[in-house]
Amino acid sequence: GAGVSQSPSNKVTEKGKDVELRCDPISGHTALYWYRQSLGQGLEFLIYFQGNSAPDKSGLPSDRFSAERTGGSVSTLTIQRTQQEDSAVYLCASSLGLAKYEQYFGPGTRLTVT
Amino acid sequence: GENVEQHPSTLSVQEGDSAVIKCTYSDSASNYFPWYKQELGKRPQLIIDIRSNVGEKKDQRIAVTLNKTAKHFSLHITETQPEDSAVYFCAWFVGGTSYGKLTFGQGTILTVHP
């Protein structure tokens, strides 16, 4: 079946602009995660959604970052007033839930803030 | 704290040799330990994982061992091939229910020379 998809694959924006990144999880997966990977670094957790429960936002670096998940499927990560330090690859992952912990990643969105 | 120490940061081996990467975690409640392989410009791919009730798991040339007492787990790759060259990330997960976030190590750059 289809894997996790993300769009756009690349985004270049000017400092101060807002951006929206989209994630389509694997069909049937109840949990959705956002991570950030800076150049040459590991993956940093941002936020996750599980079903209808309140999301865990503990990894969001500032209040400029927000995310929503509509209808339990597609998710959008929004970064307001982008800064150069926001430049990174934003990765989305999904998992089945129900004690299935395996997380499968999308191809990522490379964000460059100029 | 939520730390995963991963060693070595770089590893260079000759084709056919074995490679071992080790991670140490801090949270004794951790119960799931995946390993991801990331090729340049690609998404992280889950290659093997282990749960806390198991000490070792093998899948062809790849194996993972877990020492809960010492709080460390290791990835073993035997008979390495050039296509094994990639960045490898360990991660740990605390999941009391069906979901939870992953904390990642900083990665190991593995280079297999033909």
Side-chain angles (χ1 to χ4, degrees):
Chain A
V4 178
S5 61
Q6 293 185 245
S7 61
S9 56
N10 283 283
K11 177 70 176 180
V12 180
T13 190
E14 293 180 352
K15 177 181 174 181
K17 299 286 188 181
D18 297 352
V19 295
E20 286 189 351
L21 313 179
R22 176 188 169 104
C23 172
D24 280 278
I26 294 172
S27 178
H29 279 197
T30 62
L32 185 149
Y33 311 81
W34 285 97
Y35 295 88
R36 177 169 72 174
Q37 187 173 32
S38 301
L39 185 63
Q41 299 296 310
L43 285 80
E44 173 192 13
F45 166 77
L46 297 177
I47 184 171
Y48 81 82
F49 300 86
Q50 167 61 28
N52 296 321
S53 301
D56 181 337
K57 304 179 182 179
S58 59
L60 294 179
S62 77
D63 59 8
R64 296 186 295 105
F65 288 72
S66 63
E68 63 177 19
R69 188 179 185 192
T70 55
S73 181
V74 172
S75 177
T76 302
L77 177 69
T78 300
I79 309 173
Q80 296 179 311
R81 305 181 303 281
T82 52
Q83 303 294 312
Q84 287 188 332
E85 59 263 29
D86 299 334
S87 296
V89 176
Y90 289 81
L91 290 157
C92 175
S94 70
S95 68
L96 188 59
L98 302 174
K100 297 292 186 183
Y101 299 142
E102 296 84 352
Q103 295 186 19
Y104 299 95
F105 283 85
T109 293
R110 181 175 299 278
L111 176 65
T112 303
V113 182
T114 61
Chain B
E2 299 180 344
N3 290 318
V4 177
E5 295 182 2
Q6 182 171 346
H7 299 283
S9 57
T10 61
L11 181 58
S12 182
V13 300
Q14 290 296 127
E15 182 176 2
D17 288 350
S18 295
V20 181
I21 304 169
K22 181 176 176 179
C23 285
T24 303
Y25 61 98
S26 58
D27 192 330
S28 58
S30 304
N31 59 358
Y32 172 67
F33 307 88
W35 285 90
Y36 286 85
K37 174 184 180 183
Q38 188 176 31
E39 298 177 15
L40 189 62
K42 301 288 184 63
R43 73 187 76 190
Q45 287 190 309
L46 178 65
I47 56 172
I48 196 167
D49 55 17
I50 193 168
R51 301 206 178 195
S52 58
N53 59 345
V54 175
E56 183 177 6
K57 182 177 178 180
K58 289 184 179 179
D59 183 4
Q60 299 183 356
R61 297 186 297 109
I62 295 174
V64 56
T65 58
L66 172 64
N67 184 325
K68 290 178 60 180
T69 302
K71 295 182 187 174
H72 64 70
F73 57 110
S74 299
L75 177 70
H76 305 255
I77 306 174
T78 59
E79 301 173 28
T80 54
Q81 301 170 1
E83 52 265 37
D84 294 330
S85 297
V87 182
Y88 291 81
F89 293 97
C90 63
W92 63 270
F93 172 99
V94 177
T97 54
S98 303
Y99 56 96
K101 62 185 180 185
L102 290 172
T103 300
F104 285 85
Q106 289 303 301
T108 296
I109 302 172
L110 173 65
T111 304
V112 181
H113 299 281

PDB file of all heavy atoms in Angstrom, chain B residues 74-95:
ATOM      1  N   SER B  74      22.411  -2.569  21.173  1.00  0.00           N
ATOM      2  CA  SER B  74      23.406  -2.504  20.103  1.00  0.00           C
ATOM      3  C   SER B  74      22.860  -3.079  18.811  1.00  0.00           C
ATOM      4  O   SER B  74      22.061  -4.013  18.825  1.00  0.00           O
ATOM      5  CB  SER B  74      24.672  -3.266  20.497  1.00  0.00           C
ATOM      6  OG  SER B  74      25.260  -2.711  21.656  1.00  0.00           O
ATOM      7  N   LEU B  75      23.341  -2.500  17.716  1.00  0.00           N
ATOM      8  CA  LEU B  75      23.042  -2.997  16.375  1.00  0.00           C
ATOM      9  C   LEU B  75      24.281  -3.702  15.849  1.00  0.00           C
ATOM     10  O   LEU B  75      25.388  -3.154  15.918  1.00  0.00           O
ATOM     11  CB  LEU B  75      22.677  -1.836  15.445  1.00  0.00           C
ATOM     12  CG  LEU B  75      22.417  -2.193  13.986  1.00  0.00           C
ATOM     13  CD1 LEU B  75      21.119  -2.977  13.849  1.00  0.00           C
ATOM     14  CD2 LEU B  75      22.373  -0.935  13.111  1.00  0.00           C
ATOM     15  N   HIS B  76      24.102  -4.908  15.340  1.00  0.00           N
ATOM     16  CA  HIS B  76      25.199  -5.690  14.786  1.00  0.00           C
ATOM     17  C   HIS B  76      24.879  -5.973  13.316  1.00  0.00           C
ATOM     18  O   HIS B  76      23.817  -6.528  13.012  1.00  0.00           O
ATOM     19  CB  HIS B  76      25.353  -7.020  15.537  1.00  0.00           C
ATOM     20  CG  HIS B  76      25.517  -6.879  17.015  1.00  0.00           C
ATOM     21  ND1 HIS B  76      26.729  -7.056  17.653  1.00  0.00           N
ATOM     22  CD2 HIS B  76      24.631  -6.558  17.997  1.00  0.00           C
ATOM     23  CE1 HIS B  76      26.577  -6.861  18.962  1.00  0.00           C
ATOM     24  NE2 HIS B  76      25.316  -6.564  19.192  1.00  0.00           N
ATOM     25  N   ILE B  77      25.810  -5.610  12.456  1.00  0.00           N
ATOM     26  CA  ILE B  77      25.676  -5.927  11.032  1.00  0.00           C
ATOM     27  C   ILE B  77      26.846  -6.828  10.667  1.00  0.00           C
ATOM     28  O   ILE B  77      28.012  -6.445  10.836  1.00  0.00           O
ATOM     29  CB  ILE B  77      25.687  -4.671  10.146  1.00  0.00           C
ATOM     30  CG1 ILE B  77      24.628  -3.660  10.616  1.00  0.00           C
ATOM     31  CG2 ILE B  77      25.443  -5.054   8.685  1.00  0.00           C
ATOM     32  CD1 ILE B  77      24.678  -2.337   9.869  1.00  0.00           C
ATOM     33  N   THR B  78      26.551  -8.014  10.177  1.00  0.00           N
ATOM     34  CA  THR B  78      27.613  -8.943   9.763  1.00  0.00           C
ATOM     35  C   THR B  78      27.749  -8.939   8.241  1.00  0.00           C
ATOM     36  O   THR B  78      26.827  -8.507   7.527  1.00  0.00           O
ATOM     37  CB  THR B  78      27.305 -10.371  10.235  1.00  0.00           C
ATOM     38  OG1 THR B  78      26.044 -10.775   9.682  1.00  0.00           O
ATOM     39  CG2 THR B  78      27.227 -10.441  11.756  1.00  0.00           C
ATOM     40  N   GLU B  79      28.912  -9.379   7.790  1.00  0.00           N
ATOM     41  CA  GLU B  79      29.182  -9.471   6.334  1.00  0.00           C
ATOM     42  C   GLU B  79      28.755  -8.180   5.621  1.00  0.00           C
ATOM     43  O   GLU B  79      27.970  -8.212   4.667  1.00  0.00           O
ATOM     44  CB  GLU B  79      28.465 -10.675   5.746  1.00  0.00           C
ATOM     45  CG  GLU B  79      28.869 -11.997   6.381  1.00  0.00           C
ATOM     46  CD  GLU B  79      28.005 -13.164   5.885  1.00  0.00           C
ATOM     47  OE1 GLU B  79      27.506 -13.104   4.753  1.00  0.00           O
ATOM     48  OE2 GLU B  79      27.828 -14.116   6.662  1.00  0.00           O
ATOM     49  N   THR B  80      29.271  -7.076   6.082  1.00  0.00           N
ATOM     50  CA  THR B  80      28.846  -5.779   5.545  1.00  0.00           C
ATOM     51  C   THR B  80      29.089  -5.672   4.049  1.00  0.00           C
ATOM     52  O   THR B  80      30.042  -6.251   3.500  1.00  0.00           O
ATOM     53  CB  THR B  80      29.566  -4.628   6.259  1.00  0.00           C
ATOM     54  OG1 THR B  80      30.984  -4.839   6.200  1.00  0.00           O
ATOM     55  CG2 THR B  80      29.107  -4.498   7.695  1.00  0.00           C
ATOM     56  N   GLN B  81      28.202  -4.906   3.412  1.00  0.00           N
ATOM     57  CA  GLN B  81      28.267  -4.679   1.964  1.00  0.00           C
ATOM     58  C   GLN B  81      28.253  -3.170   1.715  1.00  0.00           C
ATOM     59  O   GLN B  81      27.764  -2.403   2.562  1.00  0.00           O
ATOM     60  CB  GLN B  81      27.062  -5.352   1.290  1.00  0.00           C
ATOM     61  CG  GLN B  81      26.995  -6.847   1.548  1.00  0.00           C
ATOM     62  CD  GLN B  81      25.688  -7.473   1.106  1.00  0.00           C
ATOM     63  OE1 GLN B  81      24.808  -6.806   0.571  1.00  0.00           O
ATOM     64  NE2 GLN B  81      25.551  -8.767   1.354  1.00  0.00           N
ATOM     65  N   PRO B  82      28.763  -2.724   0.584  1.00  0.00           N
ATOM     66  CA  PRO B  82      28.780  -1.277   0.307  1.00  0.00           C
ATOM     67  C   PRO B  82      27.402  -0.628   0.438  1.00  0.00           C
ATOM     68  O   PRO B  82      27.297   0.527   0.864  1.00  0.00           O
ATOM     69  CB  PRO B  82      29.317  -1.204  -1.125  1.00  0.00           C
ATOM     70  CG  PRO B  82      30.190  -2.408  -1.247  1.00  0.00           C
ATOM     71  CD  PRO B  82      29.500  -3.480  -0.451  1.00  0.00           C
ATOM     72  N   GLU B  83      26.356  -1.349   0.113  1.00  0.00           N
ATOM     73  CA  GLU B  83      25.008  -0.778   0.203  1.00  0.00           C
ATOM     74  C   GLU B  83      24.532  -0.605   1.644  1.00  0.00           C
ATOM     75  O   GLU B  83      23.467  -0.015   1.887  1.00  0.00           O
ATOM     76  CB  GLU B  83      23.996  -1.613  -0.591  1.00  0.00           C
ATOM     77  CG  GLU B  83      24.007  -3.081  -0.278  1.00  0.00           C
ATOM     78  CD  GLU B  83      24.879  -3.874  -1.252  1.00  0.00           C
ATOM     79  OE1 GLU B  83      25.953  -3.360  -1.667  1.00  0.00           O
ATOM     80  OE2 GLU B  83      24.472  -4.997  -1.589  1.00  0.00           O
ATOM     81  N   ASP B  84      25.306  -1.108   2.604  1.00  0.00           N
ATOM     82  CA  ASP B  84      24.999  -0.850   4.001  1.00  0.00           C
ATOM     83  C   ASP B  84      25.451   0.555   4.430  1.00  0.00           C
ATOM     84  O   ASP B  84      25.096   1.018   5.514  1.00  0.00           O
ATOM     85  CB  ASP B  84      25.678  -1.884   4.917  1.00  0.00           C
ATOM     86  CG  ASP B  84      25.145  -3.290   4.731  1.00  0.00           C
ATOM     87  OD1 ASP B  84      23.956  -3.443   4.368  1.00  0.00           O
ATOM     88  OD2 ASP B  84      25.917  -4.254   4.943  1.00  0.00           O
ATOM     89  N   SER B  85      26.231   1.205   3.591  1.00  0.00           N
ATOM     90  CA  SER B  85      26.709   2.560   3.907  1.00  0.00           C
ATOM     91  C   SER B  85      25.518   3.509   4.033  1.00  0.00           C
ATOM     92  O   SER B  85      24.702   3.628   3.118  1.00  0.00           O
ATOM     93  CB  SER B  85      27.662   3.058   2.827  1.00  0.00           C
ATOM     94  OG  SER B  85      28.819   2.242   2.760  1.00  0.00           O
ATOM     95  N   ALA B  86      25.429   4.161   5.178  1.00  0.00           N
ATOM     96  CA  ALA B  86      24.298   5.043   5.478  1.00  0.00           C
ATOM     97  C   ALA B  86      24.519   5.617   6.877  1.00  0.00           C
ATOM     98  O   ALA B  86      25.515   5.320   7.536  1.00  0.00           O
ATOM     99  CB  ALA B  86      22.979   4.286   5.436  1.00  0.00           C
ATOM    100  N   VAL B  87      23.572   6.439   7.311  1.00  0.00           N
ATOM    101  CA  VAL B  87      23.552   6.887   8.704  1.00  0.00           C
ATOM    102  C   VAL B  87      22.546   6.019   9.449  1.00  0.00           C
ATOM    103  O   VAL B  87      21.422   5.809   8.979  1.00  0.00           O
ATOM    104  CB  VAL B  87      23.162   8.368   8.823  1.00  0.00           C
ATOM    105  CG1 VAL B  87      23.194   8.801  10.295  1.00  0.00           C
ATOM    106  CG2 VAL B  87      24.098   9.240   8.000  1.00  0.00           C
ATOM    107  N   TYR B  88      22.950   5.497  10.593  1.00  0.00           N
ATOM    108  CA  TYR B  88      22.092   4.648  11.407  1.00  0.00           C
ATOM    109  C   TYR B  88      21.728   5.384  12.692  1.00  0.00           C
ATOM    110  O   TYR B  88      22.598   5.934  13.380  1.00  0.00           O
ATOM    111  CB  TYR B  88      22.802   3.331  11.729  1.00  0.00           C
ATOM    112  CG  TYR B  88      22.959   2.456  10.513  1.00  0.00           C
ATOM    113  CD1 TYR B  88      23.993   2.673   9.598  1.00  0.00           C
ATOM    114  CD2 TYR B  88      22.054   1.423  10.249  1.00  0.00           C
ATOM    115  CE1 TYR B  88      24.115   1.892   8.464  1.00  0.00           C
ATOM    116  CE2 TYR B  88      22.184   0.630   9.114  1.00  0.00           C
ATOM    117  CZ  TYR B  88      23.207   0.877   8.231  1.00  0.00           C
ATOM    118  OH  TYR B  88      23.326   0.104   7.097  1.00  0.00           O
ATOM    119  N   PHE B  89      20.448   5.376  13.008  1.00  0.00           N
ATOM    120  CA  PHE B  89      19.947   6.023  14.219  1.00  0.00           C
ATOM    121  C   PHE B  89      19.305   4.988  15.133  1.00  0.00           C
ATOM    122  O   PHE B  89      18.475   4.193  14.679  1.00  0.00           O
ATOM    123  CB  PHE B  89      18.883   7.077  13.888  1.00  0.00           C
ATOM    124  CG  PHE B  89      19.392   8.269  13.137  1.00  0.00           C
ATOM    125  CD1 PHE B  89      19.276   8.351  11.762  1.00  0.00           C
ATOM    126  CD2 PHE B  89      19.983   9.326  13.821  1.00  0.00           C
ATOM    127  CE1 PHE B  89      19.737   9.460  11.066  1.00  0.00           C
ATOM    128  CE2 PHE B  89      20.449  10.442  13.139  1.00  0.00           C
ATOM    129  CZ  PHE B  89      20.324  10.503  11.760  1.00  0.00           C
ATOM    130  N   CYS B  90      19.672   5.045  16.398  1.00  0.00           N
ATOM    131  CA  CYS B  90      18.932   4.278  17.391  1.00  0.00           C
ATOM    132  C   CYS B  90      17.862   5.184  17.991  1.00  0.00           C
ATOM    133  O   CYS B  90      17.937   6.416  17.882  1.00  0.00           O
ATOM    134  CB  CYS B  90      19.850   3.754  18.487  1.00  0.00           C
ATOM    135  SG  CYS B  90      20.669   5.041  19.480  1.00  0.00           S
ATOM    136  N   ALA B  91      16.892   4.608  18.613  1.00  0.00           N
ATOM    137  CA  ALA B  91      15.844   5.379  19.266  1.00  0.00           C
ATOM    138  C   ALA B  91      15.256   4.556  20.405  1.00  0.00           C
ATOM    139  O   ALA B  91      15.381   3.335  20.428  1.00  0.00           O
ATOM    140  CB  ALA B  91      14.748   5.775  18.268  1.00  0.00           C
ATOM    141  N   TRP B  92      14.655   5.267  21.327  1.00  0.00           N
ATOM    142  CA  TRP B  92      13.942   4.561  22.396  1.00  0.00           C
ATOM    143  C   TRP B  92      12.578   5.187  22.586  1.00  0.00           C
ATOM    144  O   TRP B  92      12.338   6.341  22.235  1.00  0.00           O
ATOM    145  CB  TRP B  92      14.741   4.548  23.688  1.00  0.00           C
ATOM    146  CG  TRP B  92      15.020   5.865  24.321  1.00  0.00           C
ATOM    147  CD1 TRP B  92      16.087   6.659  24.107  1.00  0.00           C
ATOM    148  CD2 TRP B  92      14.216   6.544  25.280  1.00  0.00           C
ATOM    149  NE1 TRP B  92      16.014   7.787  24.870  1.00  0.00           N
ATOM    150  CE2 TRP B  92      14.879   7.746  25.611  1.00  0.00           C
ATOM    151  CE3 TRP B  92      13.001   6.244  25.903  1.00  0.00           C
ATOM    152  CZ2 TRP B  92      14.351   8.656  26.526  1.00  0.00           C
ATOM    153  CZ3 TRP B  92      12.470   7.147  26.813  1.00  0.00           C
ATOM    154  CH2 TRP B  92      13.152   8.341  27.109  1.00  0.00           C
ATOM    155  N   PHE B  93      11.715   4.423  23.133  1.00  0.00           N
ATOM    156  CA  PHE B  93      10.302   4.763  23.189  1.00  0.00           C
ATOM    157  C   PHE B  93       9.758   4.338  24.541  1.00  0.00           C
ATOM    158  O   PHE B  93      10.088   3.263  25.033  1.00  0.00           O
ATOM    159  CB  PHE B  93       9.612   3.981  22.065  1.00  0.00           C
ATOM    160  CG  PHE B  93       8.120   4.026  22.038  1.00  0.00           C
ATOM    161  CD1 PHE B  93       7.475   4.900  21.181  1.00  0.00           C
ATOM    162  CD2 PHE B  93       7.358   3.167  22.800  1.00  0.00           C
ATOM    163  CE1 PHE B  93       6.093   4.916  21.101  1.00  0.00           C
ATOM    164  CE2 PHE B  93       5.974   3.186  22.740  1.00  0.00           C
ATOM    165  CZ  PHE B  93       5.345   4.057  21.881  1.00  0.00           C
ATOM    166  N   VAL B  94       8.970   5.209  25.119  1.00  0.00           N
ATOM    167  CA  VAL B  94       8.261   4.837  26.328  1.00  0.00           C
ATOM    168  C   VAL B  94       6.795   4.832  25.980  1.00  0.00           C
ATOM    169  O   VAL B  94       6.225   5.875  25.643  1.00  0.00           O
ATOM    170  CB  VAL B  94       8.530   5.813  27.482  1.00  0.00           C
ATOM    171  CG1 VAL B  94       7.708   5.433  28.698  1.00  0.00           C
ATOM    172  CG2 VAL B  94      10.009   5.812  27.827  1.00  0.00           C
ATOM    173  N   GLY B  95       6.191   3.663  25.990  1.00  0.00           N
ATOM    174  CA  GLY B  95       4.793   3.563  25.616  1.00  0.00           C
ATOM    175  C   GLY B  95       4.032   2.745  26.628  1.00  0.00           C
ATOM    176  O   GLY B  95       4.187   1.533  26.713  1.00  0.00           O
TER     177      GLY B  95
END
